[in-house]
Amino acid sequence: LVEPDGDDPDPSEDASSKYFLADKSSPWWAVAASLFASNIGAEHFVGLAGVACFSGVAVGFYEWGAVICLLVLGYLFLPVYVNASLSTMPEYMARRYSAGCGQVVV
């Protein structure tokens, strides 16, 4: 088999690491933009605007609280993922508990 870039695949390389981590060559801002974009949906554009119109600024405070919560969780869990060389949550669950648990998370 030949990869799209013309290189022969190396069987010793972990394919999931190349897929999920973009071969560790993506800049941090691209990863952050991807995470942000994957979290934004129709409920943010339509639903939150409607709720804000009805109840006021309280919904905005809820969203800012979520940002703070995500930053704290990232600060706590990122070292765990980096030290264990993990790239996905199912991989973490499979290592921590069992392979079946990792399959359930998927």
Coordinates of all heavy atoms in Angstrom, one line a residue:
L1 N 0.8 -1.2 0.0 CA 0.0 0.0 0.0 C 0.9 1.2 0.0 O 1.9 1.3 0.6 CB -0.9 0.0 1.2 CG -2.0 -1.0 1.3 CD1 -2.7 -0.9 2.7 CD2 -3.0 -1.0 0.2
V2 N 0.4 2.3 -0.6 CA 1.1 3.6 -0.7 C 0.1 4.6 -0.1 O -1.0 4.7 -0.4 CB 1.5 3.9 -2.1 CG1 2.1 5.3 -2.1 CG2 2.4 2.9 -2.7
E3 N 0.7 5.4 0.8 CA -0.1 6.5 1.4 C -0.3 7.6 0.4 O 0.5 7.7 -0.6 CB 0.6 7.0 2.7 CG 0.7 6.0 3.8 CD 1.4 6.6 5.0 OE1 1.8 7.8 5.0 OE2 1.5 5.9 6.0
P4 N -1.3 8.5 0.6 CA -1.5 9.6 -0.3 C -0.4 10.5 -0.6 O -0.2 11.1 -1.6 CB -2.7 10.3 0.3 CG -3.4 9.4 1.2 CD -2.3 8.4 1.6
D5 N 0.5 10.6 0.4 CA 1.7 11.5 0.2 C 2.8 10.8 -0.5 O 3.9 11.4 -0.7 CB 2.1 12.1 1.5 CG 2.6 11.1 2.6 OD1 2.5 9.9 2.2 OD2 3.0 11.4 3.7
G6 N 2.6 9.5 -0.8 CA 3.6 8.8 -1.6 C 4.6 8.0 -0.8 O 5.4 7.2 -1.3
D7 N 4.5 8.1 0.5 CA 5.4 7.3 1.4 C 4.8 5.9 1.6 O 3.6 5.8 1.7 CB 5.6 8.0 2.7 CG 6.3 9.3 2.6 OD1 7.1 9.5 1.6 OD2 6.2 10.2 3.5
D8 N 5.7 5.0 1.8 CA 5.3 3.6 2.2 C 4.9 3.7 3.6 O 5.7 4.2 4.4 CB 6.3 2.6 1.9 CG 6.6 2.4 0.4 OD1 5.6 2.6 -0.4 OD2 7.7 2.0 0.0
P9 N 3.8 3.0 4.1 CA 3.5 3.0 5.5 C 4.5 2.2 6.3 O 5.0 1.2 5.9 CB 2.1 2.4 5.5 CG 2.0 1.7 4.3 CD 2.9 2.3 3.3
D10 N 4.9 2.8 7.4 CA 5.8 2.1 8.3 C 5.0 1.3 9.3 O 4.2 1.9 10.1 CB 6.7 3.1 9.0 CG 7.7 2.4 9.9 OD1 7.8 1.2 9.9 OD2 8.5 3.2 10.6
P11 N 5.0 0.0 9.3 CA 4.2 -0.8 10.3 C 4.5 -0.5 11.7 O 3.7 -0.8 12.6 CB 4.5 -2.3 9.9 CG 5.7 -2.3 9.1 CD 5.9 -0.9 8.5
S12 N 5.7 0.0 12.0 CA 6.0 0.3 13.4 C 5.4 1.5 14.0 O 5.3 1.7 15.1 CB 7.6 0.4 13.6 OG 8.0 1.5 12.9
E13 N 4.9 2.4 13.1 CA 4.2 3.6 13.5 C 2.8 3.3 13.9 O 2.1 2.5 13.3 CB 4.2 4.6 12.4 CG 5.6 5.2 12.0 CD 5.6 6.2 10.9 OE1 4.5 6.6 10.5 OE2 6.6 6.6 10.5
D14 N 2.3 4.0 14.9 CA 1.0 3.9 15.4 C 0.0 4.7 14.5 O 0.1 6.0 14.5 CB 0.9 4.3 16.8 CG -0.5 4.1 17.4 OD1 -1.3 3.3 16.8 OD2 -0.8 4.7 18.4
A15 N -0.8 4.1 13.7 CA -1.7 4.8 12.8 C -2.7 5.7 13.6 O -3.1 6.8 13.1 CB -2.5 3.8 11.9
S16 N -3.2 5.2 14.7 CA -4.2 6.1 15.4 C -3.5 7.4 15.9 O -4.2 8.4 16.0 CB -4.8 5.3 16.6 OG -3.8 5.0 17.6
S17 N -2.3 7.3 16.3 CA -1.6 8.5 16.7 C -1.5 9.5 15.6 O -1.6 10.7 15.7 CB -0.2 8.1 17.3 OG 0.6 9.3 17.3
K18 N -1.2 9.0 14.4 CA -1.0 9.9 13.2 C -2.4 10.4 12.9 O -2.5 11.6 12.5 CB -0.5 9.1 12.0 CG 1.0 8.7 12.2 CD 1.5 8.0 11.0 CE 1.9 9.0 9.9 NZ 2.6 8.4 8.8
Y19 N -3.5 9.7 13.0 CA -4.8 10.1 12.7 C -5.4 11.1 13.7 O -5.8 12.2 13.3 CB -5.8 8.9 12.5 CG -7.2 9.3 12.2 CD1 -7.5 9.7 10.9 CD2 -8.1 9.4 13.2 CE1 -8.8 10.1 10.7 CE2 -9.4 9.7 12.9 CZ -9.8 10.1 11.7 OH -11.1 10.5 11.4
F20 N -5.4 10.8 15.0 CA -6.0 11.6 16.0 C -5.1 12.8 16.3 O -5.6 13.8 16.7 CB -6.3 10.8 17.2 CG -7.4 9.9 17.1 CD1 -7.2 8.5 17.1 CD2 -8.7 10.3 17.0 CE1 -8.3 7.6 16.9 CE2 -9.8 9.5 16.8 CZ -9.5 8.1 16.8
L21 N -3.8 12.7 16.2 CA -2.9 13.8 16.6 C -2.3 14.5 15.4 O -1.4 15.3 15.6 CB -1.8 13.3 17.6 CG -2.3 12.6 18.9 CD1 -1.2 12.1 19.7 CD2 -3.1 13.6 19.7
A22 N -2.7 14.2 14.2 CA -2.2 14.8 13.0 C -0.7 14.7 13.0 O 0.0 15.6 12.6 CB -2.7 16.2 12.9
D23 N -0.2 13.5 13.4 CA 1.3 13.3 13.4 C 2.0 14.3 14.2 O 3.2 14.6 14.0 CB 1.8 13.2 12.0 CG 3.1 12.4 11.8 OD1 3.3 11.6 12.8 OD2 3.8 12.6 10.9
K24 N 1.3 14.9 15.2 CA 1.9 15.8 16.2 C 2.5 17.0 15.5 O 3.5 17.6 16.0 CB 2.9 15.1 17.1 CG 2.2 14.1 18.0 CD 3.2 13.5 19.0 CE 2.5 12.5 19.8 NZ 3.3 11.9 20.8
S25 N 2.0 17.4 14.3 CA 2.6 18.5 13.6 C 1.6 19.7 13.5 O 2.0 20.7 12.9 CB 3.0 18.1 12.2 OG 1.8 17.7 11.5
S26 N 0.4 19.6 14.1 CA -0.5 20.8 14.0 C -0.2 21.8 15.1 O 0.2 21.4 16.2 CB -1.9 20.3 14.2 OG -2.3 19.4 13.2
P27 N -0.3 23.1 14.8 CA 0.0 24.1 15.8 C -1.2 24.1 16.8 O -2.3 23.7 16.5 CB 0.0 25.4 15.0 CG -0.7 25.1 13.7 CD -0.6 23.6 13.4
W28 N -0.9 24.6 18.0 CA -1.9 24.6 19.1 C -3.1 25.4 18.7 O -4.2 25.0 19.1 CB -1.3 25.2 20.3 CG -1.0 26.7 20.3 CD1 0.1 27.3 19.9 CD2 -2.0 27.7 20.6 NE1 0.0 28.6 20.0 CE2 -1.3 28.9 20.4 CE3 -3.3 27.7 21.0 CZ2 -1.9 30.1 20.6 CZ3 -3.9 28.9 21.2 CH2 -3.2 30.1 21.0
W29 N -3.0 26.5 17.9 CA -4.2 27.3 17.6 C -5.1 26.5 16.7 O -6.3 26.7 16.7 CB -3.8 28.6 17.1 CG -2.9 28.6 15.9 CD1 -1.5 28.6 15.9 CD2 -3.3 28.4 14.5 NE1 -1.0 28.5 14.6 CE2 -2.1 28.3 13.8 CE3 -4.5 28.2 13.9 CZ2 -2.1 28.2 12.4 CZ3 -4.5 28.1 12.5 CH2 -3.3 28.1 11.8
A30 N -4.6 25.6 15.8 CA -5.4 24.9 14.9 C -6.2 23.8 15.7 O -7.4 23.5 15.4 CB -4.6 24.2 13.8
V31 N -5.5 23.2 16.7 CA -6.2 22.2 17.5 C -7.3 22.9 18.3 O -8.4 22.4 18.5 CB -5.2 21.5 18.4 CG1 -5.9 20.6 19.4 CG2 -4.2 20.7 17.6
A32 N -7.0 24.1 18.9 CA -8.0 24.8 19.7 C -9.2 25.2 18.8 O -10.3 25.1 19.3 CB -7.4 26.0 20.3
A33 N -8.9 25.7 17.6 CA -10.0 26.1 16.7 C -10.9 24.9 16.4 O -12.1 25.0 16.3 CB -9.5 26.7 15.5
S34 N -10.2 23.7 16.2 CA -11.0 22.5 15.8 C -11.9 22.1 17.0 O -13.0 21.7 16.8 CB -10.0 21.4 15.5 OG -10.7 20.2 15.3
L35 N -11.4 22.1 18.2 CA -12.2 21.8 19.4 C -13.3 22.7 19.6 O -14.4 22.3 19.9 CB -11.3 21.7 20.6 CG -10.3 20.6 20.7 CD1 -9.4 20.8 21.9 CD2 -11.0 19.3 20.9
F36 N -13.1 24.0 19.4 CA -14.1 25.0 19.5 C -15.2 24.8 18.4 O -16.4 24.8 18.7 CB -13.5 26.4 19.3 CG -14.5 27.5 19.4 CD1 -15.1 27.9 20.6 CD2 -15.0 28.1 18.3 CE1 -16.0 28.9 20.7 CE2 -15.9 29.2 18.3 CZ -16.4 29.5 19.5
A37 N -14.8 24.6 17.2 CA -15.7 24.4 16.1 C -16.6 23.1 16.3 O -17.7 23.1 15.9 CB -15.0 24.4 14.8
S38 N -15.9 22.1 16.8 CA -16.7 20.8 17.0 C -17.7 21.0 18.2 O -18.6 20.2 18.3 CB -15.8 19.7 17.3 OG -15.1 19.8 18.5
N39 N -17.5 21.9 19.0 CA -18.4 22.2 20.1 C -19.6 23.1 19.8 O -20.6 23.2 20.5 CB -17.7 22.7 21.3 CG -18.5 22.7 22.6 OD1 -19.3 21.8 22.8 ND2 -18.3 23.7 23.5
I40 N -19.4 23.9 18.7 CA -20.5 24.8 18.3 C -21.5 24.2 17.4 O -21.1 23.4 16.5 CB -19.8 26.0 17.6 CG1 -18.9 26.8 18.5 CG2 -20.9 27.0 17.1 CD1 -19.5 27.4 19.7
G41 N -22.7 24.4 17.7 CA -23.8 23.8 16.8 C -25.0 24.7 16.7 O -24.9 25.9 17.1
A42 N -26.0 24.2 16.2 CA -27.2 25.1 16.0 C -27.8 25.6 17.3 O -28.4 26.7 17.4 CB -28.3 24.2 15.2
E43 N -27.6 24.8 18.4 CA -28.2 25.2 19.7 C -27.5 26.5 20.1 O -28.1 27.3 20.9 CB -28.1 24.1 20.7 CG -26.7 23.9 21.3 CD -25.8 23.0 20.5 OE1 -26.3 22.5 19.4 OE2 -24.7 22.7 20.9
H44 N -26.2 26.7 19.7 CA -25.5 27.9 20.1 C -26.0 29.1 19.3 O -26.2 30.2 19.9 CB -24.0 27.8 20.0 CG -23.4 27.0 21.0 ND1 -23.3 25.6 21.0 CD2 -22.8 27.3 22.2 CE1 -22.7 25.2 22.0 NE2 -22.4 26.2 22.8
F45 N -26.2 29.0 18.1 CA -26.6 30.1 17.2 C -28.1 30.4 17.3 O -28.4 31.6 17.3 CB -26.3 29.8 15.7 CG -24.8 29.7 15.5 CD1 -24.2 28.6 15.1 CD2 -24.0 30.8 15.7 CE1 -22.9 28.5 14.8 CE2 -22.6 30.8 15.5 CZ -22.1 29.6 15.0
V46 N -28.9 29.4 17.5 CA -30.4 29.7 17.5 C -30.9 29.6 18.9 O -31.5 30.6 19.4 CB -31.1 28.7 16.6 CG1 -32.6 28.9 16.7 CG2 -30.7 28.8 15.2
G47 N -30.6 28.5 19.6 CA -31.1 28.3 21.0 C -30.7 29.3 22.0 O -31.5 29.9 22.7
L48 N -29.4 29.6 22.0 CA -28.9 30.5 23.1 C -29.3 31.9 22.8 O -29.6 32.7 23.7 CB -27.4 30.4 23.1 CG -26.8 29.2 23.8 CD1 -25.3 29.1 23.7 CD2 -27.3 29.0 25.2
A49 N -29.5 32.3 21.5 CA -29.9 33.6 21.2 C -31.4 33.8 21.6 O -31.8 34.8 22.2 CB -29.8 33.9 19.7
G50 N -32.2 32.7 21.5 CA -33.6 32.8 21.9 C -33.7 32.9 23.4 O -34.5 33.6 24.0
V51 N -32.9 32.1 24.1 CA -32.9 32.1 25.6 C -32.4 33.4 26.1 O -33.0 34.0 27.1 CB -32.1 30.9 26.1 CG1 -31.9 31.0 27.6 CG2 -32.8 29.6 25.8
A52 N -31.4 34.0 25.5 CA -30.9 35.3 25.9 C -31.9 36.4 25.7 O -32.0 37.3 26.5 CB -29.6 35.6 25.1
C53 N -32.7 36.3 24.6 CA -33.7 37.3 24.3 C -34.8 37.2 25.4 O -35.4 38.2 25.9 CB -34.3 37.0 23.0 SG -35.6 38.2 22.5
F54 N -35.1 35.9 25.9 CA -36.2 35.7 26.8 C -35.7 36.1 28.3 O -36.4 36.8 29.0 CB -36.6 34.3 26.8 CG -37.7 33.9 27.8 CD1 -39.0 34.4 27.7 CD2 -37.4 33.1 28.9 CE1 -39.9 34.0 28.6 CE2 -38.3 32.8 29.8 CZ -39.6 33.3 29.7
S55 N -34.5 35.6 28.6 CA -34.1 35.7 30.0 C -33.0 36.7 30.3 O -32.6 37.0 31.4 CB -33.6 34.3 30.6 OG -32.5 33.9 29.9
G56 N -32.4 37.2 29.3 CA -31.3 38.2 29.5 C -29.9 37.6 29.5 O -29.7 36.6 28.9
V57 N -29.1 38.3 30.2 CA -27.7 38.0 30.1 C -27.2 36.7 30.9 O -26.1 36.3 30.8 CB -26.9 39.3 30.6 CG1 -25.9 39.0 31.6 CG2 -26.4 40.0 29.5
A58 N -28.1 36.2 31.6 CA -27.8 35.0 32.5 C -27.3 33.9 31.6 O -26.3 33.2 32.1 CB -29.0 34.5 33.2
V59 N -27.8 33.7 30.4 CA -27.3 32.6 29.6 C -25.8 32.8 29.2 O -25.0 31.9 29.1 CB -28.2 32.3 28.4 CG1 -28.1 33.5 27.4 CG2 -27.9 31.0 27.7
G60 N -25.4 34.1 29.0 CA -24.0 34.4 28.7 C -23.1 34.0 29.9 O -22.0 33.5 29.7
F61 N -23.6 34.3 31.1 CA -22.8 33.9 32.3 C -22.6 32.4 32.4 O -21.6 31.9 32.8 CB -23.4 34.4 33.6 CG -23.3 35.9 33.7 CD1 -24.4 36.6 34.0 CD2 -22.1 36.6 33.5 CE1 -24.4 38.0 34.1 CE2 -22.0 37.9 33.6 CZ -23.2 38.7 33.9
Y62 N -23.6 31.6 32.0 CA -23.5 30.2 31.9 C -22.4 29.7 31.0 O -21.6 28.9 31.3 CB -24.9 29.6 31.5 CG -24.9 28.1 31.3 CD1 -24.9 27.2 32.4 CD2 -24.8 27.6 30.0 CE1 -24.9 25.9 32.2 CE2 -24.8 26.2 29.8 CZ -24.8 25.4 30.9 OH -24.8 24.0 30.7
E63 N -22.4 30.4 29.8 CA -21.3 30.0 28.8 C -19.9 30.4 29.3 O -19.0 29.6 29.1 CB -21.6 30.7 27.5 CG -22.8 30.1 26.7 CD -22.6 28.6 26.3 OE1 -21.5 28.3 25.8 OE2 -23.5 27.8 26.6
W64 N -19.8 31.5 29.9 CA -18.5 31.9 30.5 C -18.1 30.9 31.6 O -16.9 30.6 31.7 CB -18.5 33.3 31.0 CG -18.3 34.3 29.8 CD1 -19.3 35.1 29.4 CD2 -17.2 34.5 29.1 NE1 -18.8 35.8 28.3 CE2 -17.5 35.5 28.1 CE3 -15.9 33.9 29.1 CZ2 -16.5 35.9 27.1 CZ3 -15.0 34.4 28.1 CH2 -15.3 35.4 27.2
G65 N -19.0 30.5 32.4 CA -18.7 29.5 33.4 C -18.2 28.2 32.8 O -17.3 27.5 33.3
A66 N -18.8 27.8 31.6 CA -18.4 26.6 31.0 C -16.9 26.7 30.5 O -16.1 25.8 30.5 CB -19.3 26.3 29.8
V67 N -16.5 27.9 30.0 CA -15.2 28.1 29.6 C -14.2 27.9 30.7 O -13.2 27.2 30.6 CB -15.0 29.6 29.0 CG1 -13.5 29.9 28.8 CG2 -15.8 29.7 27.7
I68 N -14.5 28.5 31.9 CA -13.7 28.4 33.0 C -13.6 26.9 33.5 O -12.5 26.4 33.8 CB -14.2 29.3 34.2 CG1 -14.0 30.7 33.8 CG2 -13.4 28.9 35.5 CD1 -14.7 31.7 34.7
C69 N -14.7 26.2 33.5 CA -14.7 24.8 33.8 C -13.9 24.0 32.9 O -13.1 23.1 33.3 CB -16.2 24.3 33.8 SG -16.3 22.6 34.3
L70 N -14.0 24.2 31.6 CA -13.1 23.5 30.6 C -11.7 23.7 30.8 O -10.8 22.8 30.6 CB -13.6 23.8 29.2 CG -14.9 23.2 28.7 CD1 -15.3 23.7 27.4 CD2 -14.8 21.7 28.7
L71 N -11.3 25.0 31.1 CA -9.9 25.3 31.3 C -9.4 24.5 32.6 O -8.2 24.0 32.5 CB -9.7 26.8 31.5 CG -9.8 27.6 30.2 CD1 -9.8 29.1 30.5 CD2 -8.8 27.2 29.2
V72 N -10.2 24.5 33.6 CA -9.7 23.8 34.8 C -9.6 22.3 34.6 O -8.6 21.6 35.0 CB -10.7 24.0 36.0 CG1 -10.5 23.1 37.2 CG2 -10.6 25.5 36.4
L73 N -10.6 21.7 33.8 CA -10.5 20.3 33.5 C -9.3 20.0 32.6 O -8.6 19.0 32.8 CB -11.8 19.8 32.9 CG -13.0 19.7 33.8 CD1 -14.3 19.4 33.0 CD2 -12.8 18.7 34.8
G74 N -9.0 20.8 31.7 CA -7.8 20.7 30.8 C -6.6 20.7 31.6 O -5.6 19.9 31.4
Y75 N -6.5 21.6 32.6 CA -5.3 21.8 33.5 C -5.1 20.5 34.3 O -4.0 20.1 34.6 CB -5.5 23.0 34.4 CG -4.3 23.2 35.3 CD1 -3.2 23.8 34.8 CD2 -4.4 22.9 36.6 CE1 -2.1 24.0 35.7 CE2 -3.4 23.1 37.5 CZ -2.2 23.7 37.0 OH -1.2 23.9 37.9
L76 N -6.2 19.9 34.7 CA -6.1 18.7 35.6 C -5.8 17.4 34.8 O -5.1 16.6 35.2 CB -7.4 18.5 36.4 CG -7.7 19.6 37.4 CD1 -9.1 19.3 38.0 CD2 -6.6 19.6 38.5
F77 N -6.5 17.3 33.6 CA -6.4 16.0 32.9 C -5.3 16.0 31.8 O -4.9 14.9 31.4 CB -7.7 15.7 32.2 CG -8.7 15.2 33.2 CD1 -9.8 15.9 33.6 CD2 -8.6 13.9 33.7 CE1 -10.7 15.5 34.6 CE2 -9.5 13.4 34.7 CZ -10.5 14.2 35.1
L78 N -4.9 17.1 31.3 CA -3.8 17.1 30.2 C -2.6 16.4 30.7 O -2.0 15.6 29.9 CB -3.6 18.5 29.7 CG -2.6 18.6 28.5 CD1 -3.3 17.9 27.3 CD2 -2.3 20.1 28.2
P79 N -2.0 16.7 31.9 CA -0.8 16.0 32.3 C -1.0 14.4 32.4 O -0.1 13.7 32.1 CB -0.6 16.5 33.7 CG -1.2 17.8 33.8 CD -2.4 17.7 32.9
V80 N -2.2 14.0 32.7 CA -2.5 12.6 32.7 C -2.4 12.0 31.3 O -1.7 11.0 31.1 CB -3.9 12.3 33.3 CG1 -4.2 10.8 33.2 CG2 -3.9 12.7 34.8
Y81 N -3.0 12.7 30.4 CA -2.9 12.2 29.0 C -1.5 12.2 28.4 O -1.0 11.3 27.7 CB -3.8 13.0 28.1 CG -5.3 12.5 28.1 CD1 -6.1 12.9 29.1 CD2 -5.7 11.7 27.1 CE1 -7.4 12.4 29.1 CE2 -7.0 11.3 27.1 CZ -7.9 11.6 28.1 OH -9.1 11.2 28.1
V82 N -0.8 13.3 28.7 CA 0.6 13.5 28.1 C 1.5 12.4 28.8 O 2.3 11.8 28.0 CB 1.1 14.9 28.4 CG1 2.6 15.0 28.0 CG2 0.3 15.9 27.5
N83 N 1.5 12.2 30.1 CA 2.4 11.3 30.7 C 2.1 9.9 30.3 O 3.0 9.0 30.3 CB 2.3 11.4 32.2 CG 2.9 12.7 32.8 OD1 3.7 13.3 32.1 ND2 2.4 13.1 33.9
A84 N 0.9 9.5 30.0 CA 0.5 8.2 29.6 C 0.6 8.0 28.1 O 0.3 6.9 27.6 CB -0.9 7.8 30.1
S85 N 0.9 9.0 27.3 CA 1.0 9.0 25.9 C -0.3 8.5 25.3 O -0.4 7.6 24.4 CB 2.1 8.0 25.4 OG 3.3 8.5 25.8
L86 N -1.4 9.1 25.7 CA -2.8 8.8 25.3 C -3.2 9.8 24.3 O -2.8 11.0 24.3 CB -3.8 8.7 26.4 CG -3.5 7.6 27.5 CD1 -4.3 7.9 28.7 CD2 -3.7 6.3 26.9
S87 N -4.1 9.4 23.3 CA -4.6 10.4 22.4 C -6.1 10.4 22.4 O -6.7 11.4 21.8 CB -4.1 10.1 21.0 OG -4.4 8.8 20.6
T88 N -6.8 9.4 22.9 CA -8.3 9.4 22.9 C -8.8 8.9 24.3 O -8.1 8.2 25.0 CB -8.8 8.4 21.8 OG1 -8.4 7.1 22.1 CG2 -8.3 8.8 20.4
M89 N -10.0 9.3 24.5 CA -10.7 8.9 25.8 C -10.9 7.3 25.8 O -10.7 6.7 26.9 CB -12.0 9.6 26.0 CG -12.7 9.3 27.3 SD -11.7 9.9 28.6 CE -12.8 9.8 29.9
P90 N -11.4 6.7 24.7 CA -11.5 5.2 24.8 C -10.2 4.5 25.0 O -10.1 3.5 25.7 CB -12.0 4.9 23.4 CG -12.7 6.1 22.9 CD -12.0 7.3 23.5
E91 N -9.1 5.1 24.5 CA -7.8 4.5 24.8 C -7.4 4.6 26.3 O -6.9 3.6 26.9 CB -6.7 5.2 24.0 CG -5.3 4.6 24.1 CD -4.3 5.4 23.2 OE1 -4.7 6.4 22.6 OE2 -3.2 5.0 23.2
Y92 N -7.8 5.7 26.9 CA -7.6 5.9 28.4 C -8.4 4.9 29.1 O -7.9 4.2 30.1 CB -7.9 7.3 28.8 CG -7.9 7.5 30.3 CD1 -6.7 7.5 31.0 CD2 -9.1 7.6 31.0 CE1 -6.7 7.7 32.4 CE2 -9.1 7.8 32.4 CZ -7.9 7.8 33.0 OH -7.9 7.9 34.4
M93 N -9.7 4.7 28.8 CA -10.6 3.8 29.5 C -10.1 2.4 29.3 O -10.2 1.6 30.3 CB -12.0 4.0 29.0 CG -12.6 5.4 29.3 SD -12.7 5.8 31.0 CE -14.2 4.9 31.4
A94 N -9.6 2.0 28.1 CA -9.2 0.7 27.9 C -7.9 0.4 28.7 O -7.8 -0.7 29.3 CB -8.9 0.4 26.4
R95 N -7.0 1.3 28.8 CA -5.8 1.1 29.7 C -6.2 1.1 31.2 O -5.6 0.3 31.9 CB -4.8 2.2 29.4 CG -4.0 2.0 28.1 CD -2.8 2.8 28.1 NE -2.3 3.0 26.8 CZ -1.3 3.8 26.5 NH1 -0.8 4.5 27.4 NH2 -0.9 3.8 25.3
R96 N -7.0 2.0 31.6 CA -7.3 2.1 33.0 C -8.2 1.0 33.5 O -8.0 0.5 34.6 CB -8.1 3.5 33.2 CG -8.5 3.8 34.6 CD -7.3 4.0 35.5 NE -7.8 4.4 36.8 CZ -8.1 3.6 37.8 NH1 -8.0 2.3 37.7 NH2 -8.4 4.1 39.0
Y97 N -9.2 0.6 32.8 CA -10.1 -0.4 33.2 C -10.0 -1.7 32.4 O -9.4 -2.7 32.9 CB -11.5 0.1 33.2 CG -11.7 1.3 34.1 CD1 -11.8 2.6 33.6 CD2 -11.7 1.2 35.5 CE1 -12.0 3.7 34.4 CE2 -11.8 2.3 36.3 CZ -12.0 3.5 35.7 OH -12.1 4.6 36.5
S98 N -10.6 -1.8 31.2 CA -10.5 -3.0 30.4 C -10.8 -2.6 29.0 O -11.3 -1.5 28.7 CB -11.5 -4.0 30.9 OG -12.8 -3.6 30.6
A99 N -10.4 -3.5 28.1 CA -10.7 -3.2 26.6 C -12.2 -3.1 26.4 O -12.6 -2.3 25.5 CB -10.1 -4.4 25.8
G100 N -13.0 -3.8 27.1 CA -14.5 -3.7 26.9 C -15.0 -2.4 27.3 O -15.9 -1.8 26.7
C101 N -14.4 -1.8 28.4 CA -14.8 -0.5 28.8 C -14.5 0.6 27.8 O -15.2 1.5 27.5 CB -14.2 -0.1 30.1 SG -14.7 1.4 30.9
G102 N -13.3 0.4 27.1 CA -12.9 1.3 26.0 C -13.9 1.2 24.9 O -14.2 2.2 24.2
Q103 N -14.4 0.0 24.6 CA -15.3 -0.2 23.5 C -16.7 0.5 23.8 O -17.4 1.0 22.9 CB -15.5 -1.7 23.2 CG -14.3 -2.3 22.6 CD -14.1 -1.8 21.1 OE1 -15.0 -1.4 20.4 NE2 -12.8 -1.7 20.8
V104 N -17.1 0.4 25.1 CA -18.4 1.0 25.5 C -18.3 2.5 25.3 O -19.3 3.2 24.9 CB -18.7 0.6 26.9 CG1 -19.9 1.5 27.4 CG2 -19.0 -0.8 27.0
V105 N -17.2 3.2 25.6 CA -17.1 4.6 25.4 C -17.2 5.0 24.0 O -17.7 6.1 23.7 CB -15.7 5.1 26.1 CG1 -15.5 6.6 25.8 CG2 -15.7 4.8 27.5
V106 N -16.7 4.2 23.1 CA -16.8 4.6 21.7 C -18.3 4.6 21.3 O -18.8 5.4 20.7 CB -16.1 3.6 20.8 CG1 -16.3 3.8 19.3 CG2 -14.6 3.6 21.1

